[in-house]
Amino acid sequence: MIFKILHVILLASVKYFFTLPYAMIIGLNYQQALISVLIGGIGGFLFFYYLSNNLFKLLEFIKPKICLLIPPFLKLRFQVVCQRMYVKKPVRIFSRKSRFLVKVKTTYGFWGIIIATPFLLTIPVGAFLANRYYAKRPQTVPFMIISIISWAGFLSGIVHIFPRIFF
């Protein structure tokens, strides 16, 4: 039983939306499933939110040292990354990932990230986006926790409306 609860907590910290129905399918009762999903979702968000902040700081600290250690035959390949340290305004490189992140930020903004994180985005991606773009807002973490709790309430309502699917 303990392993099932730990499994649900770890799963909820990464992919939140499908975890409550999954917990009901593997045999946890409703209270155990709901509590473990909430602990996993909130704990996962806090873990990834503060981990991404520390990773950004660590990357800025290590980046000059990595650029010095790059062998000469690879300098041309990593030239764009290493040049950005010395240039005050970085050169914009548009990739599929950067366009997606900009589109999410400009189209949906703060509330879109808060609402979509447990449902569409995963907890780590939502924590990264919230920390990257809205870390200076003091209400980011409380609103994300409220969003996680609200989605748990919505999912538990689905479980109660359609009980034959999960039992």
Side-chain angles (χ1 to χ4, degrees), residues 97-113:
K97 182 179 92 170
S98 65
R99 287 181 187 181
F100 171 73
L101 294 178
V102 169
K103 183 178 179 182
V104 167
K105 183 184 177 192
T106 57
T107 306
Y108 305 111
F110 177 72
W111 291 108
I113 291 172

Side-chain angles (χ1 to χ4, degrees), residues 12 16 37-47 123 144-145 148-149:
Y16 186 76
V37 166
L38 284 173
I39 289 172
I42 293 170
F45 170 73
L46 293 174
F47 175 76
I123 296 283
M144 187 64 80
I145 291 172
I148 291 170
I149 293 170

Side-chain angles (χ1 to χ4, degrees), residues 1-13 15-41 152 155-156 159 163 165-167:
M1 185 61 77
I2 296 293
F3 293 114
K4 286 183 181 180
I5 292 173
L6 289 175
H7 176 72
V8 168
I9 288 173
L10 289 175
L11 185 62
S13 68
K15 187 62 183 163
Y16 186 76
F17 188 69
F18 298 110
T19 309
L20 185 64
Y22 173 74
M24 303 298 287
I25 289 171
I26 65 170
L28 294 178
N29 65 25
Y30 177 71
Q31 289 81 16
Q32 292 171 339
L34 188 62
I35 290 172
S36 60
V37 166
L38 284 173
I39 289 172
L155 291 173
S156 66
V159 167
I165 297 174
F166 304 106
F167 297 110

Side-chain angles (χ1 to χ4, degrees), residues 88-153:
K88 289 187 178 183
K89 195 169 188 178
V91 177
R92 299 266 182 191
I93 298 175
F94 294 105
S95 64
R96 210 176 257 189
K97 182 179 92 170
S98 65
R99 287 181 187 181
F100 171 73
L101 294 178
V102 169
K103 183 178 179 182
V104 167
K105 183 184 177 192
T106 57
T107 306
Y108 305 111
F110 177 72
W111 291 108
I113 291 172
I114 295 293
I115 293 170
T117 292
F119 179 60
L120 295 175
L121 304 172
T122 59
I123 296 283
V125 171
F128 168 76
L129 291 174
N131 191 1
R132 182 79 174 159
Y133 296 120
Y134 302 108
K136 295 186 182 192
R137 288 188 179 189
Q139 66 267 28
T140 302
V141 174
F143 281 150
M144 187 64 80
I145 291 172
I146 290 170
S147 173
I148 291 170
I149 293 170
S150 301
W151 278 107

